[in-house]
Amino acid sequence: MPVQVSLLTEADIPGAVSAIQQAFADDPYNNWVFDKSTFNPQRNAASLGIRCRWGMRNGIFHVAKEEGSNEVLGVACWLKPQPADQPPTWHDWIEGWRLWLNQVGMNLYYGRGGLNVKRYYIWKEAQAKAQSAVWTDPRGYYFLNIMVVLPKAQGKGIGRLMMEAVTKQADAEGMKCYLESSRDVPNMQIYGRFGFKFAKELECNDDGTAINLYAMVREPNAELQANGK
């Protein structure tokens, strides 16, 4: 059956959360930022659900499903470009508080669920420094925040469909794209096929227990240029 990429709906959220949890179960960043001995999958699912709903309202959140099926095979979430000289809007302010309040309520109900808060903020600081150095275009970047395809659905071109749903839009607008990968191999090579190039390494170091993340940037029409078109 042909695969269709569509915007995330409320009905898709359980499947999207499940797909993300499966894809990141052994992710280097997740293994570093969560204590697996106290990890709470229910709390994690609630957190991802909150993020999904925020993404529906504020980002570009896609799911991939076979025609006629409700099973989510892939998930992609992009954050829209934010011009450097544009102050936060009232909508941004309200959405920020809404997200924060939802997270506070979740933490009160579930606790931290194994999240190492110190390491979370180490990552946020490293991310801020990397983006400050890499984001040189004042118009902003399409930020690929999540991209996952279920293992059983890989090799069917689903990742390409979800990627091109936004990169083609970015090309039409002459905008750059950005992502951060928690693996150099094979992720950087895979993203390279879509025109992304390595830009900066993020080191997240908690007193000697460290991971590296890899920032990549895609120029407009970079995939076409790479293929000589």
Side-chain angles (χ1 to χ4, degrees):
M1 298 292 289
V3 173
Q4 296 181 332
V5 174
S6 59
L7 290 173
L8 177 76
T9 67
E10 183 68 27
D12 294 323
I13 289 178
V17 167
S18 177
I20 295 169
Q21 286 186 313
Q22 290 181 58
F24 287 97
D26 195 34
D27 178 77
Y29 170 77
N30 270 21
N31 290 339
W32 179 78
V33 82
F34 285 103
D35 180 347
K36 292 298 184 179
S37 67
T38 56
F39 178 73
N40 184 334
Q42 290 75 32
R43 188 265 186 195
N44 182 248
S47 175
L48 290 171
I50 290 170
R51 287 287 179 178
C52 284
R53 292 178 179 90
W54 182 91
M56 289 169 60
R57 298 189 303 269
N58 299 279
I60 305 172
F61 216 130
H62 287 137
V63 291
K65 299 181 289 186
E66 287 186 339
E67 186 177 343
S69 172
N70 291 322
E71 183 182 11
V72 174
L73 301 176
V75 179
C77 179
W78 296 77
L79 306 184
K80 300 174 183 178
Q82 294 291 327
D85 60 351
Q86 177 179 301
T89 65
W90 277 106
H91 174 82
D92 297 332
W93 186 85
I94 292 170
E95 282 294 329
W97 274 103
R98 184 176 180 179
L99 177 63
W100 182 81
L101 289 170
N102 284 333
Q103 290 173 323
V104 168
M106 175 194 66
N107 287 331
L108 290 173
Y109 186 82
Y110 289 103
R112 291 293 184 179
L115 177 68
N116 186 317
V117 177
K118 176 187 176 184
R119 292 185 178 181
Y120 173 81
Y121 283 106
I122 289 173
W123 164 65
K124 292 300 290 184
E125 182 180 0
Q127 183 185 60
K129 288 179 179 178
Q131 292 178 358
S132 177
V134 172
W135 288 9
T136 58
D137 191 327
R139 299 173 302 163
Y141 294 71
Y142 281 97
F143 180 2
L144 179 57
N145 190 247
I146 298 172
M147 170 68 79
V148 302
V149 178
L150 290 181
K152 70 176 184 178
Q154 292 175 5
K156 299 181 179 180
I158 293 175
R160 177 171 291 278
L161 287 173
M162 293 193 298
M163 182 72 76
E164 292 182 346
V166 173
T167 57
K168 287 183 177 180
Q169 178 179 339
D171 289 344
E173 298 171 359
M175 300 294 292
K176 297 178 182 179
C177 300
Y178 173 87
L179 63 82
E180 294 164 7
S181 173
S182 56
R183 299 182 191 271
D184 54 349
V185 178
N187 293 17
M188 290 177 66
Q189 181 181 3
I190 293 172
Y191 290 129
R193 297 171 188 165
F194 301 102
F196 283 91
K197 293 184 178 181
F198 173 75
K200 189 173 180 61
E201 190 168 321
L202 291 71
E203 182 182 16
C204 303
N205 192 330
D206 179 16
D207 297 327
T209 303
I211 59 162
N212 294 323
L213 304 176
Y214 306 92
M216 304 183 75
V217 172
R218 180 186 184 275
E219 298 286 335
N221 298 299
E223 185 181 357
L224 297 177
Q225 295 167 13
N227 293 328
K229 297 181 181 179

